[in-house]
Amino acid sequence: MALKDFADLKSLSKQLKEQAETRAAAEAERVQREAQQAREANLFQSSLGGVQRMPDQNRYVPQAPKTVAPAPAPKRKLTQAEDDAAVLRESLSDLFEVDHYLEDDPALNYSAPGVGPDVMKKMRKGHWPVQDELDLHGMNRDQARDALGAFLTRAGQRNYRCVCVIHGRGFGSRGQEPVLKSMVHSWLVQKGVVAFCQARNHDGGEGALIVLLRAALQPTRY
C-alpha cells in the first residue's frame, strides 16, 4: 500500500470517528431533554392530586343576551269617520293667533281681508237667515274642534251661507273663562269663513256666533 493511500485511509477513519462522536453527543442530549420533560410532566400531574375534569354537560358557559327587536304592532285600519276626523283635526291648530284679524272687540266679530264693512252690518241685522246650527256645550276642546270641522264641511256641501255656532259663555269651565269661545274664533278663521259676529240675544247672545260662509261653485255675492 502506498504511503498516500495510508494517509487517506487514516484521515477517513478520523472523520468517521468524529461523526460518530457527534451523533452520540446529540443522542445523549436528546435523551437528557426527554428525561427532563418527563420529570416536569410527572411533577405537574402529582400537583393536581385528585382534581377531576368537570363533565361537559355540567359546565356553565355564559352567552351574550340576544337582543330581539319587538315586532311592530299591526296598525288598525281607520274607519271612514275616524279618517275624516283626523284630517279635520290636522287642518285646525289650537295655537293659531286670531286677534289681529278681528275688529275692535275680538269677542264680537271678524271679517276676512277684502270684505267690506257693509257685510258685518247686514249680519248684525240678520240679513242672512240661519240655515243650520251647531251646539258645542259639554264638549272638550278636541271634541269641539272635530265637531266644528265636520259641521262646516257639511254646510259647505249643502251650500249654506249662514250658520250659527253655539260655544257657550264658559260658566261651566274652570275659572268660568270662555276658553272654548276663543278656540272657536281661531278655528273659524283657519277654515276661511267670510265673517262672523256675536249672535243677537234671541240667537244665543254672547254664547253664540253667526257665521257667514263662502258660496260654493259660484261667484261670491254679498
Side-chain angles (χ1 to χ4, degrees):
M1 179 182 295
L3 182 61
K4 182 176 183 300
D5 293 336
F6 181 77
D8 292 339
L9 181 60
K10 186 177 181 180
S11 176
L12 178 60
S13 176
K14 182 179 181 182
Q15 292 178 0
L16 293 175
K17 182 179 180 181
E18 290 176 352
Q19 291 176 0
E21 291 176 351
T22 301
R23 286 195 298 271
E27 180 65 18
E29 184 179 355
R30 181 183 66 78
V31 172
Q32 183 178 6
R33 183 170 60 252
E34 291 179 353
Q36 178 66 26
Q37 291 175 351
R39 287 195 297 272
E40 292 177 353
N42 292 334
L43 179 62
F44 175 75
Q45 291 294 335
S46 62
S47 65
L48 291 178
V51 176
Q52 298 180 356
R53 180 178 179 180
M54 180 182 293
D56 292 340
Q57 62 271 23
N58 294 331
R59 297 175 60 193
Y60 172 72
V61 180
Q63 298 180 353
K66 296 182 179 179
T67 303
V68 180
K75 294 184 178 179
R76 182 178 65 86
K77 185 176 181 181
L78 298 178
T79 64
Q80 185 62 43
E82 292 173 331
D83 186 61
D84 293 342
V87 172
L88 290 171
R89 187 178 300 112
E90 292 176 358
S91 67
L92 296 177
S93 170
D94 298 342
L95 304 177
F96 182 77
E97 294 293 340
V98 69
D99 290 354
H100 64 283
Y101 286 105
L102 306 182
E103 295 185 4
D104 296 336
D105 187 349
L108 298 180
N109 41 249
Y110 157 83
S111 296
V115 177
D118 57 320
V119 173
M120 186 60 62
K121 293 178 181 179
K122 291 181 180 180
M123 289 183 63
R124 289 172 177 167
K125 293 179 180 180
H127 177 80
W128 290 278
V130 174
Q131 297 169 286
D132 200 358
E133 70 177 29
L134 173 66
D135 191 346
L136 301 177
H137 278 108
M139 298 185 186
N140 60 33
R141 183 176 61 183
D142 292 338
Q143 293 170 337
R145 181 177 57 241
D146 293 346
L148 179 61
F151 173 74
L152 294 177
T153 299
R154 183 171 64 251
Q157 293 171 346
R158 296 175 179 177
N159 202 23
Y160 289 165
R161 294 302 316 282
C162 186
V163 296
C164 178
V165 178
I166 304 172
H167 49 66
R169 293 178 171 83
F171 295 145
S173 62
R174 181 178 300 180
Q176 295 187 348
E177 297 179 356
V179 177
L180 192 57
K181 181 176 182 179
S182 62
M183 289 289 97
V184 170
H185 290 169
S186 175
W187 297 333
L188 287 174
V189 173
Q190 294 178 70
K191 294 299 289 185
V193 302
V194 175
F196 62 77
C197 68
Q198 179 177 297
R200 291 179 292 179
N201 290 334
H202 64 273
D203 289 326
E206 296 180 4
L209 293 173
I210 302 299
V211 183
L212 185 64
L213 307 178
R214 299 184 184 277
L217 304 179
Q218 61 185 20
T220 301
R221 296 179 181 178
Y222 305 118

